[in-house]
Amino acid sequence: MTGVEQQPTVPLSGDVRIPLLGFGTWQATGRAGYDAVLAALDAGYRMIDTATMYGNEAEVGRAVKESGLRREDLFLTTKMLPDQVGREREAIEASLRALDTDYVDLWLIHWPPSAPGDSIPVWREFLAARDEGLVRTVGVSNYSISQIDELIQATEENPAVNQIRWSPTLYDRQTHAAHRDRGVVLEGYSPFKTSDLSDPVLVRIAQAHGVSPAQVVLRWHIDHEIVVIPKSVHPERIQANADVFHFSLTAEEMRDIDALGR
């Protein structure tokens, strides 16, 4: 895989940049989770995505410590549980202890709070954690555009990131443009679960580049400057998912893949 300094990134707020390819850790718990994160770091990933809900922050933190990599060369994301609304400071301090780090690079509200109006006070607490240096930047996950607008209108601070389910099948040009217009980086999870990797378009493009349809899906995200976080606990798949920097998609191929969406 290309060196970390050559991996494509996109800017967030301040001087923070997020790699376009990250490693997802949902359902990667215990020893399998620890081994998967170590394998990902060895394969060249420099962004690791976790969450309090995943129950693996300690394993992620231990793998990061034992990888031998410098903390400043890594990008760590975690997310707050929905039931921690009103206890935001306690939540981030617990995540930092579990991850065994002084800060995370990105902290996300995992799901919009269920009670109407709760999002704004939670968002203010996230901004306070950022301003105190506990996190470098903050964002949301599973938010609609209208919910993002509510935060921006109340605080004049846009979320750096919105992490949502995304894939060629779910591609929506208007949603993509709406994030870009607001200065919110779109980050996609479940890129394979929501894709048909046997689709003739993906198969044809994969054959043209000598890669797999899964690698085409990841490259499609990257060429759109959409952050993507594939997950796996299998070393060979972890390595294959990281090996997407030796080819690019043509404008025509991008349009053909876009057309798989709604």
Side-chain angles (χ1 to χ4, degrees):
M1 183 176 179
T2 185
V4 63
E5 70 282 353
Q6 297 172 310
Q7 290 179 30
T9 61
V10 289
L12 303 180
S13 52
D15 60 352
V16 182
R17 298 189 70 89
I18 185 171
L20 280 166
L21 178 68
F23 183 70
T25 64
W26 180 56
Q27 294 183 321
T29 57
R31 181 57 188 257
Y34 165 79
D35 289 343
V37 173
L38 268 186
L41 294 172
D42 186 58
Y45 291 90
R46 292 297 178 263
M47 191 263 274
I48 307 295
D49 179 274
T50 183
T52 300
M53 182 183 288
Y54 300 170
N56 62 9
E57 287 175 317
E59 288 82 359
V60 169
R62 187 160 64 93
V64 165
K65 284 283 186 182
E66 296 180 9
S67 70
L69 296 167
R70 298 189 308 167
R71 173 65 184 88
E72 58 266 34
D73 291 334
L74 300 176
F75 191 104
L76 293 182
T77 299
T78 195
K79 314 177 193 76
M80 189 188 79
L81 279 167
D83 65 6
Q84 291 175 306
V85 168
R87 296 181 289 119
E88 294 81 9
R89 180 63 180 253
E90 177 186 327
I92 188 58
E93 289 179 348
S95 285
L96 294 177
R97 283 195 302 272
L99 288 162
D100 194 14
T101 185
D102 294 332
Y103 67 95
V104 292
D105 299 277
L106 176 62
W107 191 31
L108 303 179
I109 304 173
H110 204 154
W111 292 90
S114 55
D118 270 1
S119 257
I120 293 170
V122 172
W123 183 235
R124 292 190 191 279
E125 289 298 320
F126 269 57
L127 295 172
R130 180 202 63 189
D131 293 344
E132 291 176 44
L134 299 175
V135 302
R136 294 179 72 208
T137 191
V138 288
V140 297
S141 182
N142 301 299
Y143 270 58
S144 67
I145 294 299
S146 63
Q147 289 168 326
I148 288 172
D149 284 343
E150 181 184 19
L151 301 184
I152 296 172
Q153 288 161 9
T155 65
E156 297 185 349
E157 293 256 20
N158 59 288
V161 167
N162 186 24
Q163 187 183 113
I164 59 177
R165 278 172 29 123
W166 197 258
S167 70
T169 306
L170 299 177
Y171 181 70
D172 181 84
R173 189 179 305 278
Q174 289 184 324
T175 299
H176 188 194
H179 282 82
R180 190 169 53 242
D181 292 346
R182 288 158 177 78
V184 179
V185 170
L186 185 58
E187 181 174 6
Y189 68 82
S190 296
F192 305 139
K193 189 174 183 180
T194 55
S195 292
D196 177 6
L197 296 179
S198 65
D199 187 281
V201 171
L202 296 179
V203 170
R204 169 176 56 79
I205 294 171
Q207 290 173 343
H209 292 278
V211 299
S212 70
Q215 288 170 312
V216 168
V217 168
L218 296 179
R219 188 70 221 194
W220 171 81
H221 283 77
I222 291 166
D223 286 350
H224 264 311
E225 294 197 329
I226 294 170
V227 178
V228 62
I229 47 172
K231 66 182 185 70
S232 179
V233 295
H234 304 289
E236 65 282 359
R237 288 187 193 162
I238 291 171
Q239 180 64 54
N241 290 342
D243 188 19
V244 292
F245 295 104
H246 62 286
F247 74 102
S248 292
L249 302 175
T250 67
E252 182 180 3
E253 288 169 340
M254 291 290 287
R255 286 193 295 270
D256 288 348
I257 298 171
D258 291 353
L260 299 176
R262 55 184 185 272

